Amino acid sequence: MNKDPNHAKKYGYILLAVLIFLLFILFAPLMVESTGILDSKSMTLSYSSYPEKPINHVWNESGYAILNITDDDFEKYPEIKELFLTKDTSIKKSDPGTDNPVLNSVQVLTRQRIDEIREKYCIHRILYWEGEYYQAGIPYS
């Protein structure tokens, strides 16, 4: 039998540490899921005509806002910069065989960022950049 008076205290600390570790392992996935930090969605870019015929959206009486994409948008949202600056330039809007082709797709990380970009650039928005009209989309699910 161990006669050390701190023996029980040492095992108590070890038991407490193991218990905390197990609780962390059990609840960490729930905490991560609730924050949305592991969410990821693909945002796509397509050509659009001027607002008479917006693509991928149902026209309604409120209409569509035309948003001029600027360097400020690129600075604040690197995803938007990547979406436009790396778009497939070989796809032409005038090609008869291309019906609203996807020009580019980029990942948007975190639920908060997805919602923010969707609200500002996707919902009822026609994006204007370098003389062309576009629409961006991030699917709901």
Side-chain angles (χ1 to χ4, degrees):
M1 184 154 187
N2 195 342
K3 299 222 181 212
D4 184 7
N6 292 325
H7 181 71
K9 200 176 203 183
K10 289 177 187 174
Y11 281 115
Y13 287 136
I14 292 171
L15 184 60
L16 182 61
V18 168
L19 181 62
I20 290 172
F21 182 71
L22 288 174
L23 287 173
F24 178 76
I25 287 174
L26 289 173
F27 289 106
L30 181 63
M31 292 185 308
V32 167
E33 175 62 29
S34 67
T35 62
I37 60 174
L38 295 180
D39 284 358
S40 172
K41 296 271 185 185
S42 182
M43 179 170 59
T44 59
L45 180 70
S46 300
Y47 281 123
S48 177
S49 59
Y50 191 75
E52 292 89 22
K53 292 168 108 182
I55 58 173
N56 300 330
H57 290 290
V58 177
W59 180 263
N60 68 11
E61 44 287 338
S62 67
Y64 282 69
I66 296 177
L67 181 63
N68 289 315
I69 300 299
T70 65
D71 288 339
D72 291 339
D73 296 302
F74 287 167
E75 280 183 39
K76 187 169 182 182
Y77 300 100
E79 301 93 341
I80 297 294
K81 182 177 184 176
E82 181 182 353
L83 194 67
F84 277 94
L85 296 182
T86 61
K87 69 184 177 71
D88 186 350
T89 56
S90 69
I91 299 173
K92 301 296 179 199
K93 186 164 60 170
S94 60
D95 287 349
T98 57
D99 185 31
N100 301 331
V102 172
L103 303 172
N104 200 4
S105 179
V106 298
Q107 289 298 111
V108 181
L109 305 176
T110 78
R111 189 175 307 148
Q112 178 184 356
R113 189 74 163 184
I114 291 165
D115 292 343
E116 186 178 335
I117 289 176
R118 184 184 284 136
E119 181 68 30
K120 184 165 183 170
Y121 295 99
C122 299
I123 300 174
H124 299 290
R125 302 285 190 271
I126 302 288
L127 308 176
Y128 181 78
W129 187 67
E130 292 189 341
E132 292 285 349
Y133 295 97
Y134 302 91
Q135 276 191 298
I138 301 175
Y140 288 100
S141 63

